[in-house]
Amino acid sequence: MATSDPAGAKSAGELNIVHVTLIASAAAMGGFLFGYDSSVINGAVDAVQEHFQVTTAMTGFTVAAALLGSALGAGVAGTLADRLGRIRAMQIAGVLFAISAVGSALPFSIFDLAAWRVVGGVAIGMASVIAPTYIAEVSPPAYRGRLASLQQLAIVLGIALSQLVNYLVAAAADGSALNPLGPLQAWQWMLGVEMLPALLYITLTLTIPESPRYLVRVGRDDKARRVLSEVEGGDVERRISEIYQALGSEVRPKLGDLKGGRFGLLPIVWIGMALSAFQQLVGINVVFYYSSSLWQSVGVDEGNSLLLSLFTSIVNIIGTFIAIGLVDRIGRKPLLLIGSAGMAVSLAVTGWAFSHATVVGASASLSFAWGAVALTSASAFVMFFALSWGVVTWVLLGEMFPLRIRAAAMAVATATQWITNWLITVTFPSLRDWNLTGTYMIYAVFAVLSFVFVWKFISETKGKTLESMGQQGEEATAQ
């Protein structure tokens, strides 16, 4: 009997982690749509500009319009998640993804295309807040880093699938997103296909349990016990007590709860906002929104530029798997430092390579040698981002804030990310036309600054319970 109990406990533990992995994977489908919606415009950028006969600046605004919606979605997601529950908020996001896909595929003008992208952006912003929060709240501490990493894995898989769909659709339309494919042009199909994963996301949300921490917050302790027993096991009553203690007297966190400190907000909130901002200031989404257009600007034809975008997405997936394997082993902070250093070098080399482009009239081209350098360094940049900031930012945002302010702080930090993303995205076309090398050097400087920020301000969270980290956060806010 003495030997059978440990084996039984191990079997139960394995069953719990399989069960919670399936739950987290279903929730991470929001991240998949986040990545798909964010990146699918990549293959349509030049076709949209030519179809509607608009300027580069207007094209940049249309691409970036989704990010304005993302900031709004991130801002309201915390309130919705705390009032309606994490699951219902996910379902609202899924419906918005589906509506945006249909509208974006059938626009009458550049302006309503931008409006439909804003709708999709609201869904992206909501998913970017709710999925990591939910996953962190249902995950056992020992596995939380890896499970939270599923959000970023889903994002990069969404990005990769969008690039594959773009390539296949363009190939079916004889290599151009402008060519007709049935009743629509190819770029319209690229944007409309998102309807399918949106419907899948809505379906999956019907199969997963509500967050136990939300259930305790609203007084549904019996259901919280059942969920905790399924996903964590162990002393469920102790965990319920810890959650109540962490909640304190708060019932629903408000943005006003974030006020305090010397600069208007609690220090931990500023750190979360800065973490979010640096993730975007290194220019990563320039690669995913404009890579096809970028490669075409230095002489690569449309078909090959879409293949290069797909290759970049595959690199992104590989880096994400590396991060998933390391985040609970070497910790969050070391990965961020490695990523910042690698991105700084890679961005500087990429900018240097683009400085060797030969410009003739309105067109430019890179020699084979410098093209190889640019592709290698750009891929290295994506790899270093994926194995560090791409995953770790979402892990930290899901676990660094005290529970009593977590949803509200997560919303503010994520909204900061989307606003910064918007600034980078909307300015890139004009910066590229000004000086492509200089643009990449600017991003390299931000990568260096991100290293300094992590070194000075980020604390390690590996292996700690959310409640114990919340206590540390409370202590930090009191300083």
Side-chain angles (χ1 to χ4, degrees):
M1 290 294 290
T3 57
S4 65
D5 287 341
K10 180 180 179 182
S11 176
E14 290 173 351
L15 182 61
N16 280 343
I17 193 58
V18 170
H19 180 59
V20 78
T21 299
L22 293 174
I23 291 172
S25 298
M29 187 67 190
F32 179 91
L33 281 160
F34 165 178
Y36 192 100
D37 194 281
S38 297
S39 186
V40 69
I41 194 68
N42 183 7
V45 170
D46 291 335
V48 166
Q49 182 171 351
E50 189 169 340
H51 177 80
F52 291 111
Q53 292 295 296
V54 293
T55 64
T56 300
M58 186 64 204
T59 303
F61 174 80
T62 303
V63 172
L67 304 176
L68 294 176
S70 298
L72 175 61
V76 303
T79 300
L80 285 176
D82 284 323
R83 289 186 177 177
L84 304 178
R86 279 47 166 161
I87 301 300
R88 186 56 56 85
M90 290 181 200
Q91 291 166 350
I92 293 171
V95 171
L96 291 176
F97 275 123
I99 292 172
S100 172
V102 175
S104 297
L106 304 170
F108 298 104
S109 70
I110 192 70
F111 298 104
D112 70 295
L113 174 59
W116 289 120
R117 284 190 55 73
V118 170
V119 173
V122 172
I124 292 173
M126 291 179 64
S128 69
V129 170
I130 297 163
T133 300
Y134 174 86
I135 293 171
E137 290 180 350
V138 299
S139 300
Y143 298 97
R144 192 179 55 248
R146 276 166 282 184
L147 291 172
S149 300
L150 291 175
Q151 162 79 349
Q152 182 63 19
L153 176 61
I155 292 172
V156 300
L157 288 173
I159 291 171
L161 185 63
S162 73
Q163 302 310 308
L164 178 60
V165 168
N166 286 349
Y167 174 73
L168 293 176
V169 170
D174 296 326
S176 175
L178 269 172
N179 288 341
L181 192 60
L184 304 175
Q185 290 183 325
W187 65 268
Q188 294 174 278
W189 287 109
M190 292 176 182
L191 301 181
V193 168
E194 187 183 355
M195 178 74 171
L196 300 178
L199 294 176
L200 176 60
Y201 178 45
I202 295 169
T203 302
L204 288 174
T205 62
L206 301 174
T207 68
I208 58 178
E210 183 54 86
S211 158
R213 288 169 178 83
Y214 169 77
L215 293 171
V216 170
R217 184 189 296 280
V218 297
R220 299 169 65 184
D221 290 9
D222 288 342
K223 190 164 185 179
R225 289 185 181 92
R226 288 198 298 271
V227 176
L228 282 169
S229 178
E230 291 175 3
V231 300
E232 289 190 23
D235 190 344
V236 172
E237 292 304 322
R238 180 180 60 82
R239 297 292 293 116
I240 293 284
S241 177
E242 288 175 350
I243 293 170
Y244 265 116
Q245 185 177 0
L247 283 170
S249 60
E250 283 294 325
V251 178
R252 288 175 182 161
K254 306 178 294 295
L255 293 179
D257 297 326
L258 308 183
K259 294 180 181 178
R262 288 176 294 176
F263 302 103
L265 294 176
L266 298 172
I268 192 68
V269 178
W270 283 117
I271 291 172
M273 292 170 66
L275 183 73
S276 292
F278 273 119
Q279 192 201 43
Q280 300 302 319
L281 288 171
V282 296
I284 186 62
N285 280 312
V286 164
V287 175
F288 297 123
Y289 299 159
Y290 292 111
S291 61
S292 176
S293 177
L294 175 64
W295 289 115
Q296 289 180 59
S297 74
V298 290
V300 179
D301 65 52
E302 183 176 354
N304 286 332
S305 71
L306 291 171
L307 268 180
L308 289 176
S309 296
L310 177 59
F311 170 75
T312 301
S313 296
I314 293 171
V315 171
N316 197 17
I317 293 171
I318 294 170
T320 301
F321 274 113
I322 293 172
I324 291 172
L326 296 178
V327 67
D328 280 324
R329 294 183 182 179
I330 71 173
R332 285 64 158 151
K333 186 169 183 174
L335 276 181
L336 288 178
L337 292 172
I338 291 168
S340 292
M343 288 190 299
V345 174
S346 302
L347 285 165
V349 173
T350 303
W352 179 50
F354 282 135
S355 72
H356 291 80
T358 302
V359 180
V360 179
S363 62
S365 63
L366 281 173
S367 67
F368 176 81
W370 284 113
V373 171
L375 178 59
T376 301
S377 58
S379 300
F381 165 55
V382 172
M383 175 65 79
F384 278 111
F385 177 87
L387 64 82
S388 60
W389 283 80
V391 166
V392 177
T393 298
W394 294 111
V395 173
L396 282 173
L397 289 179
E399 64 188 14
M400 68 187 293
F401 300 115
L403 182 55
R404 69 180 180 86
I405 64 166
R406 181 168 296 136
M410 182 74 172
V412 169
T414 311
T416 301
Q417 182 175 124
W418 290 116
I419 292 169
T420 311
N421 191 341
W422 178 80
L423 288 171
I424 294 296
T425 304
V426 78
T427 56
F428 177 74
S430 298
L431 286 173
R432 177 192 60 194
D433 293 345
W434 161 68
N435 190 311
L436 186 56
T437 296
T439 302
Y440 271 80
M441 292 304 177
I442 291 171
Y443 300 150
V445 170
F446 280 120
V448 172
L449 293 175
S450 73
F451 184 96
V452 176
F453 164 75
V454 172
W455 185 269
K456 289 179 64 68
F457 296 108
I458 295 297
S459 299
E460 185 56 67
T461 58
K462 180 182 71 170
K464 300 177 182 177
T465 67
L466 292 181
E467 286 68 38
S468 67
M469 285 188 294
Q471 208 168 17
Q472 282 188 344
E474 296 286 6
E475 293 169 358
T477 60
Q479 294 176 356

